[in-house]
Amino acid sequence: MEMNEILAVSGQPGLYKFIARSQRGFIVESLVDGRRLNIAANARVSAMSDISIFTDNEDRPLVEVFESLRKVSNSEPTISHKESEEAVEAKFAEAVPDYSRGKVHMSDMRKVLAWYNIMIASGVTEFKMPAEEE
């Protein structure tokens, strides 16, 4: 599964896999429970390949952050996003030591950890950007 097929839908918990286009939007499948939903064409949807995290230098693609989390967690789920702020920040800083402390909020860190755990639980083991077509 490529990262441009995994979607975050505003107002919906969890992550979704793109399945197909429909008349009024598109069909997605939850990575958490496998349920399919029809998402309206005007819904705010972000592909994992399009999201990045602010760092002190340049923005780092979320895919690279997931790969860093995978390395520091030995390809296992990481801590829960519901842990204390100190634990979440420590784990996030371990994976992304140069993240921008002024721009990356606790809610962002929690969301990244939650998304990473969802993907690991659904069997995603490689975090790579989709191959660019020439």
Side-chain angles (χ1 to χ4, degrees), residues 49-89:
S49 60
D50 296 338
I51 300 173
S52 60
I53 298 294
F54 294 114
T55 66
D56 293 333
N57 300 319
E58 56 187 39
D59 295 353
R60 182 173 299 173
L62 186 59
V63 174
E64 289 181 15
V65 173
F66 286 151
E67 184 60 25
S68 295
L69 275 168
R70 186 188 66 76
K71 288 178 182 173
V72 299
S73 301
N74 297 318
S75 299
E76 296 290 325
T78 189
I79 65 168
S80 170
H81 64 284
K82 296 179 181 180
E83 293 286 337
S84 69
E85 288 188 7
E86 294 80 16
V88 168
E89 188 171 8

Side-chain angles (χ1 to χ4, degrees), residues 6 29 31 37 49 71 81-82 90 93 111 113-114 118 128:
I6 300 176
E29 181 177 277
L31 292 181
L37 301 168
S49 60
K71 288 178 182 173
H81 64 284
K82 296 179 181 180
K111 191 175 292 186
L113 294 177
I118 289 170
K128 294 182 181 177

Side-chain angles (χ1 to χ4, degrees), residues 2-134:
E2 293 192 13
M3 290 296 115
N4 60 346
E5 295 176 337
I6 300 176
L7 309 172
V9 180
S10 181
Q12 297 289 332
L15 293 174
Y16 299 86
K17 177 184 176 187
F18 175 81
I19 300 298
R21 294 200 180 277
S22 68
Q23 283 185 318
R24 295 188 175 144
F26 47 95
I27 300 168
V28 295
E29 181 177 277
S30 171
L31 292 181
V32 175
D33 59 14
R35 289 188 352 201
R36 290 191 175 189
L37 301 168
N38 191 4
I39 303 296
N42 64 351
R44 290 183 30 202
V45 177
S46 301
M48 293 294 104
S49 60
D50 296 338
I51 300 173
S52 60
I53 298 294
F54 294 114
T55 66
D56 293 333
N57 300 319
E58 56 187 39
D59 295 353
R60 182 173 299 173
L62 186 59
V63 174
E64 289 181 15
V65 173
F66 286 151
E67 184 60 25
S68 295
L69 275 168
R70 186 188 66 76
K71 288 178 182 173
V72 299
S73 301
N74 297 318
S75 299
E76 296 290 325
T78 189
I79 65 168
S80 170
H81 64 284
K82 296 179 181 180
E83 293 286 337
S84 69
E85 288 188 7
E86 294 80 16
V88 168
E89 188 171 8
K91 181 53 81 173
F92 194 83
E94 183 180 359
V96 189
D98 61 338
Y99 79 91
S100 175
R101 268 88 175 145
K103 294 180 181 177
V104 179
H105 303 284
M106 180 57 58
S107 60
D108 302 324
M109 291 181 227
R110 289 184 187 281
K111 191 175 292 186
V112 168
L113 294 177
W115 286 349
Y116 170 81
N117 285 334
I118 289 170
M119 286 195 283
I120 291 293
S122 67
V124 177
T125 57
E126 290 186 3
F127 302 102
K128 294 182 181 177
M129 292 294 274
E132 292 185 23
E133 295 182 22
E134 296 183 27

